[in-house]
Amino acid sequence: MALKLFNTLTRSVQEFQPLEGNRVGMYCCGPTVYDFAHIGNWRTFVFADLVRRTLEFSGYAVQHVMNITDVEDKIIKRVREQQCTLREFTGKFEAAFLDDLKALGCREPHQKPRATEHIAEIIALIEKLVARGVAYKAADGSVYFSIEKYRGCGCTYGQLLKLNLDEMRAGDRVASDEYEKESLADFALWKARVPDDGAVFWSSPFGEGRPGWHIECSAMSIKALGETFDLHLGGEDLKFPHHEDEIAQSEGATGRPFVKHWLHGAHLLVEGKKMSKSLGNYFTLRDLMTKGFTGREVRFLLLSAHYRETFNFTLDGLAGARTSLARIDECVGKLREAAGSAARPSVQAAPPAGSANLVTRFTAALEDDVNISGAWAAVFDWVRETNKALADNSLSAGGAATALAAWEQVDSVLGIGGKAEAEIPAAIQALAAARATAKQAKDFKRSDAIRDELKALGWVIEDTPKGPRLKRL
Ligand code: AMP
Ligand code: ZN
């Protein structure tokens, strides 16, 4: 079967066909680095990671680009409030974002272009739009995109969602980076310098100023992936105006189709409500880590629902993620022991009944528009059948190694396995090492005391034939 994905452009699930061979250019709108990313943002970035891993699993060579929006309205406002330089301000949130991305087990994008380092490309793109007659300088000194002129060239504004363009009044303009459907109007490509911008401005043929948010993504994606590329992703809130404007700017400048396939992830709610600081239901990854959860647990939970369904995030759900991961870890840990030195899968050795099926079922689910629930069902059926075979002692070392190889294959997409040890805090690992030393020295009083100390900290230590193993209580 071939990979099928929903395409917002055609509003249908269709076979994914890259423009060229097995190479896929994929652009995901990155973070606006004005604060720590929240758990809703993380749903979208983990979704992008899942799509990239699914493509790689399907044999595609992906070029994953994720921009860093490091100049836009919200950033300028905070730079002004905090009286620091743009880079001082955005640098710390960009670093935090990349740390969190790693903690969530996401593969690092191949390119992470910053908007402030693409001002020349942005200006060149605006110049093209002006030259083609679809952009104009207004009396306020800013340059706007003319929807009327664009449509006059036979281009479609409103490719991702239906817009009521008849209600639009020619000449209406919107200067802010984010606006509602009701404010459908010409939007700013270059914003003329105003006193509130402080030191954040660049010179350009249109005068001093700064780019609008939408043109940044058009310029960076075209530079990284070409005028037409395969796949563009983002959260559903970006369809309008951001992605619609990206299409208009890019197609308006190049005269070619911008993106073949658009994918949008649905939003995340917390305890059934839109996240907001005033409701107290607003979490960053760091907030959840302070509560004792790990990036791996958050990743698991974010990966539990289909990307086109709204996901209701709860702290109970996160606790449930811990339990589910423990089931997988226990099974994989036992398989490792059973495989022993038979590290290589053996063709002759019979794997547990479900393993033969695991990769087939998992692959079929992913190819069906990334049906993650079907993929998890395959995993948990496999865990149950493997546990049964382990309990019956019906698994040879070669069979266990074959089962492990199947797990590792599916985990190249899930990205949750094999991290158990890495996530054991250093202090806990040090205690376990001290206990091993005490045991070796036959100081059982001390080794028992350390065991109790570990227990009080929420960890049990199990002595196995392969040595001690730490597990969360
Ligand atoms: P921003 O940093 O605000 O530009 O947002 C980064 C990404 O997070 C975008 O793709 C947004 O669509 C996405 N996003 C924002 N809020 C949510 C949410 N509640 N659930 C899922 N994705 C979100
Ligand atoms: Zn974008």
Side-chain angles (χ1 to χ4, degrees):
M1 217 173 89
L3 176 63
K4 293 204 187 96
L5 295 172
F6 185 85
N7 186 354
T8 316
L9 213 46
T10 57
R11 277 78 155 167
S12 64
V13 175
Q14 62 185 72
E15 192 174 312
F16 179 74
Q17 277 282 356
L19 293 159
E20 216 189 295
N22 79 329
R23 292 189 7 226
V24 176
M26 159 175 160
Y27 185 91
C28 177
C29 291
T32 305
V33 283
Y34 74 106
D35 207 338
F36 295 108
H38 59 60
I39 196 68
N41 302 135
W42 286 120
R43 177 176 196 207
T44 295
F45 295 119
V46 169
F47 152 61
D49 180 65
L50 175 67
V51 171
R52 167 180 167 180
R53 284 170 179 263
T54 299
L55 288 164
E56 288 174 341
F57 183 72
S58 303
Y60 293 111
V62 181
Q63 183 65 211
H64 177 188
V65 182
M66 184 195 67
N67 72 294
I68 306 281
T69 301
D70 61 349
V71 53
E72 57 79 78
D73 295 350
K74 294 192 288 290
I75 294 177
I76 303 244
K77 183 165 176 276
R78 296 213 179 165
V79 165
R80 190 170 66 238
E81 286 162 3
Q82 300 190 12
Q83 300 195 342
C84 53
T85 68
L86 183 70
R87 187 70 199 131
E88 274 163 6
F89 177 77
T90 57
K92 65 176 186 258
F93 291 116
E94 181 187 310
F97 177 84
L98 296 176
D99 283 348
D100 290 357
L101 193 72
K102 210 179 271 174
L104 285 163
C106 294
R107 287 187 179 155
E108 197 174 331
H110 302 97
Q111 296 181 54
K112 301 185 291 287
R114 290 189 191 117
T116 52
E117 289 167 2
H118 289 78
I119 301 295
E121 287 82 357
I122 292 168
I123 291 173
L125 199 59
I126 301 174
E127 283 185 305
K128 259 193 193 170
L129 291 168
V130 174
R132 287 185 143 232
V134 290
Y136 61 94
K137 192 166 171 179
D140 63 359
S142 296
V143 180
Y144 289 88
F145 184 91
S146 164
I147 296 181
E148 200 193 1
K149 293 274 164 52
Y150 176 68
R151 293 180 72 209
C153 304
C155 299
T156 308
Y157 187 81
Q159 299 192 23
L160 300 170
L161 75 174
K162 254 199 154 6
L163 294 169
N164 193 349
L165 288 143
D166 298 337
E167 282 185 6
M168 203 188 139
R169 287 179 310 173
D172 272 1
R173 285 188 281 270
V174 55
S176 59
D177 284 331
E178 289 174 78
Y179 51 92
E180 302 292 325
K181 264 199 278 193
E182 296 68 48
S183 330
L184 185 60
D186 291 357
F187 55 91
L189 301 168
W190 187 260
K191 305 188 190 200
R193 183 181 173 193
V194 293
D196 273 354
D197 291 343
V200 184
F201 67 90
W202 289 264
S203 357
S204 84
F206 334 107
E208 287 174 342
R210 61 184 171 96
W213 170 35
H214 317 300
I215 194 81
E216 296 175 4
C217 275
S218 288
M220 287 184 278
S221 59
I222 290 175
K223 176 159 189 227
L225 299 169
E227 292 182 348
T228 303
F229 59 92
D230 299 294
L231 185 57
H232 195 314
L233 295 99
E236 63 186 354
D237 58 312
L238 297 193
K239 281 183 207 165
F240 183 86
H242 187 55
H243 289 162
E244 209 57 70
D245 290 351
E246 274 190 45
I247 296 175
Q249 297 159 154
S250 309
E251 301 194 351
T254 69
R256 295 163 187 256
F258 178 42
V259 171
K260 191 168 176 200
H261 213 113
W262 284 88
L263 265 185
H264 290 97
H267 261 205
L268 171 146
L269 301 175
V270 174
E271 312 281 354
K273 298 201 174 72
K274 194 171 169 192
M275 227 185 320
S276 89
K277 286 191 177 159
S278 58
L279 284 178
N281 65 353
Y282 181 100
F283 297 115
T284 63
L285 180 63
R286 280 133 207 268
D287 295 333
L288 298 172
M289 284 181 151
T290 309
K291 290 182 187 297
F293 294 104
T294 64
R296 183 174 178 245
E297 288 160 352
V298 175
R299 178 181 177 91
F300 179 93
L301 186 61
L302 293 178
L303 283 182
S304 61
H306 194 275
Y307 74 91
R308 283 197 283 129
E309 278 165 18
T310 303
F311 178 61
N312 189 25
F313 179 93
T314 64
L315 289 175
D316 283 349
L318 203 44
R322 177 172 290 175
T323 312
S324 303
L325 278 168
R327 274 185 66 205
I328 296 176
D329 289 346
E330 183 148 22
C331 174
V332 172
K334 283 185 186 155
L335 269 182
R336 288 219 167 94
E337 273 162 36
S341 56
R344 288 182 183 286
S346 144
V347 187
Q348 288 85 23
S355 291
N357 242 335
L358 173 63
V359 180
T360 315
R361 275 182 67 194
F362 184 84
T363 308
L366 282 184
E367 287 182 339
D368 178 16
D369 193 26
V370 199
N371 171 7
I372 197 74
S373 320
W376 284 120
V379 167
F380 284 102
D381 285 350
W382 171 81
V383 166
R384 204 180 47 246
E385 286 168 38
T386 305
N387 281 340
K388 191 165 168 294
L390 285 161
D392 295 349
N393 274 328
S394 62
L395 202 53
S396 67
T402 307
L404 265 182
W407 162 250
E408 277 158 16
Q409 238 182 306
V410 305
D411 190 48
S412 71
V413 179
L414 299 171
I416 52 145
K419 301 231 170 61
E421 275 172 31
E423 287 202 348
I424 299 172
I428 301 293
Q429 290 189 35
L431 277 173
R435 178 178 167 271
T437 313
K439 262 187 98 176
Q440 233 173 12
K442 302 213 176 332
D443 183 352
F444 297 114
K445 203 164 152 208
R446 176 154 166 70
S447 76
D448 286 350
I450 297 177
R451 177 191 287 265
D452 292 345
E453 197 179 334
L454 279 166
K455 199 165 170 190
L457 291 168
W459 293 83
V460 277
I461 194 154
E462 279 176 358
D463 289 310
T464 75
K466 298 238 161 281
R469 198 168 69 191
L470 279 164
K471 262 179 49 177
R472 270 187 188 277
L473 264 176

